[in-house]
Amino acid sequence: MTNFLSYYTTYLSNRLCGGSSRKLIAGWWYSILGMTVILSIMSFCVMGTRSFSEGFASFWSAIMLCVLSIGGTMIMRKFHNSMAVGFFMGGIVSTSQLFFLLFLMYLGYVKDQRTANVSSKMDSIMAFFSLIQSVLLGSFAAILAAHRSEILDQPSNAVMTMMDEMHGLPPQHQGTAISQESSEYDPPAEK
């Protein structure tokens, strides 16, 4: 399965992004952010026209998307360790499942409104956008899983940088301080 994902995402990055899987990941993330804006605006429209429970479900999904967007952007730009990326992938998968369930819920509302001979345009649109967001999030999680090594820092560099910061050394002088100390070492004279 991993080989299939790697081949597929490599094909997508070659076809869409000139061979850069980092650009593919970034472009996919920006499309998720765009859908987040659309769904957030639409959820406030739904919230004003529905009962409290339906409005709350719509509002809660918009809040969850905004939190995922802010946290995900921070992780993609600043925090490149395995714990943060793993937490981010788990959040993406769970949010994808949330929006698949919202898709099914809005389809149920469409069916109920058609039975009652009421217009169901808003619910049809929300069902469509929820499905699109679910697919975008799920495929982004798969792409991120296949290419997470391109997001993650190298462990040796991260540990060495952290140790240099703890000792007050700039990261670029990591090996220089040791070599200076060893060159200044004067062994005791033999008697």
Side-chain angles (χ1 to χ4, degrees), residues 72-83:
T73 302
M74 287 175 53
I75 288 171
M76 300 265 291
R77 291 189 179 196
K78 188 174 181 182
F79 303 106
H80 298 152
N81 58 32
S82 60
M83 175 92 170

Side-chain angles (χ1 to χ4, degrees), residues 27-44:
W28 216 273
W29 182 246
Y30 291 139
S31 64
I32 289 171
L33 293 178
M35 282 298 298
T36 297
V37 170
I38 292 170
L39 280 168
S40 296
I41 291 170
M42 290 193 68
S43 73
F44 288 117

Side-chain angles (χ1 to χ4, degrees), residues 2-98:
T2 305
N3 288 336
F4 173 73
L5 283 176
S6 294
Y7 290 134
Y8 181 67
T9 56
T10 302
Y11 171 76
L12 284 176
S13 64
N14 288 337
R15 188 88 170 145
L16 302 175
C17 302
S20 173
S21 58
R22 289 184 72 96
K23 285 183 182 179
L24 177 68
I25 291 169
W28 216 273
W29 182 246
Y30 291 139
S31 64
I32 289 171
L33 293 178
M35 282 298 298
T36 297
V37 170
I38 292 170
L39 280 168
S40 296
I41 291 170
M42 290 193 68
S43 73
F44 288 117
C45 294
V46 168
M47 194 171 69
T49 61
R50 298 295 172 144
S51 68
F52 176 75
S53 59
E54 294 171 5
F56 181 76
S58 179
F59 175 73
W60 183 254
S61 65
I63 293 295
M64 293 302 293
L65 272 179
C66 290
V67 168
L68 182 71
S69 298
I70 292 168
T73 302
M74 287 175 53
I75 288 171
M76 300 265 291
R77 291 189 179 196
K78 188 174 181 182
F79 303 106
H80 298 152
N81 58 32
S82 60
M83 175 92 170
V85 173
F87 187 77
F88 179 48
M89 285 174 46
I92 290 170
V93 170
S94 63
T95 307
S96 174
Q97 292 174 357
L98 169 72

Side-chain angles (χ1 to χ4, degrees), residues 93-107 127 129-135 137:
V93 170
S94 63
T95 307
S96 174
Q97 292 174 357
L98 169 72
F99 274 91
F100 184 71
L101 291 175
L102 286 174
F103 162 71
L104 295 175
M105 182 183 77
Y106 285 122
L107 281 183
F129 283 140
S130 294
L131 179 65
I132 295 299
Q133 186 74 331
S134 176
V135 169
L137 287 167

